[in-house]
Amino acid sequence: MSLLTLLPFIVLIGAMFLMTRSAKKKQQQAVDMRNQMQPGSGVRTIGGMYATVKEVNEDTVLVDAGPGVDLLFAKNAIGAVLTDDEYNRIVHGIEHDLKSDADIVPDDASSLTETDDSADDKAVDLGKKDAADEPADEAAEAKPDAEPKKTDGDSEAK
């Protein structure tokens, strides 16, 4: 056999090796993340529930989901260990402002536009006129120099 016929098999085996290696790396990162959990850490479960860690055991984690609600989860059910700032932002809505003199973005755009009292009274002409905007006497008047409409030949005069 030549090397050219074996080349697709070698490439396939190499791709499989690289994929399994990256998957193992991600699994190891998840295990390390779960091992660094400590009581008081904020976590998000794989189901999307946010809670505070009360106790960490070998394979389980006891979390406090609210006042008087303690839940026992498997360590594998913890999707992410959150930083204190991130947990407070998500759960309690507390924003930690790192830049106190940073510009604040308003909720609506009305405060971004400067209003000028004289500019509010003027209408902007966009070049289009509605039938309601035209005076009634101009619409009723027939133009004397207008040409009559041509028809398809359905006129009664023949």
Side-chain angles (χ1 to χ4, degrees):
M1 285 191 165
S2 80
L3 184 63
L4 190 59
T5 58
L6 292 176
L7 186 63
F9 295 111
I10 294 170
V11 170
L12 183 64
I13 291 170
M16 289 174 45
F17 173 74
L18 290 176
M19 285 190 292
T20 57
R21 182 176 168 202
S22 66
K24 284 182 182 181
K25 188 182 235 183
K26 286 181 184 179
Q27 284 178 345
Q28 185 61 39
Q29 287 175 345
V31 167
D32 292 341
M33 180 257 321
R34 290 182 184 115
N35 286 336
Q36 69 181 350
M37 276 188 299
Q38 299 173 357
S41 299
V43 295
R44 182 183 64 234
T45 65
I46 59 174
M49 185 179 71
Y50 293 92
T52 306
V53 176
K54 273 184 113 172
E55 185 180 314
V56 179
N57 298 322
E58 182 82 20
D59 294 330
T60 60
V61 178
L62 183 67
V63 297
D64 181 21
V69 180
D70 294 337
L71 303 170
L72 186 65
F73 280 96
K75 266 192 175 178
N76 293 340
I78 303 299
V81 177
L82 308 172
T83 63
D84 291 337
D85 291 337
E86 186 177 11
Y87 181 77
N88 287 331
R89 181 183 57 83
I90 294 169
V91 175
H92 303 295
I94 300 171
E95 293 287 335
H96 181 69
D97 190 16
L98 296 176
K99 298 177 183 176
S100 60
D101 53 317
D103 293 336
I104 298 173
V105 178
D107 290 338
D108 61 349
S110 63
S111 64
L112 295 176
T113 58
E114 294 184 88
T115 58
D116 188 14
D117 294 336
S118 62
D120 289 341
D121 297 336
K122 295 180 183 178
V124 177
D125 182 24
L126 298 176
K128 295 183 179 181
K129 293 185 179 181
D130 293 334
D133 292 343
E134 294 180 9
D137 58 331
E138 286 183 19
E141 291 180 17
K143 296 181 183 177
D145 59 333
E147 295 181 18
K149 285 187 172 181
K150 294 183 181 180
T151 60
D152 295 285
D154 293 338
S155 66
E156 294 180 24
K158 292 189 180 185

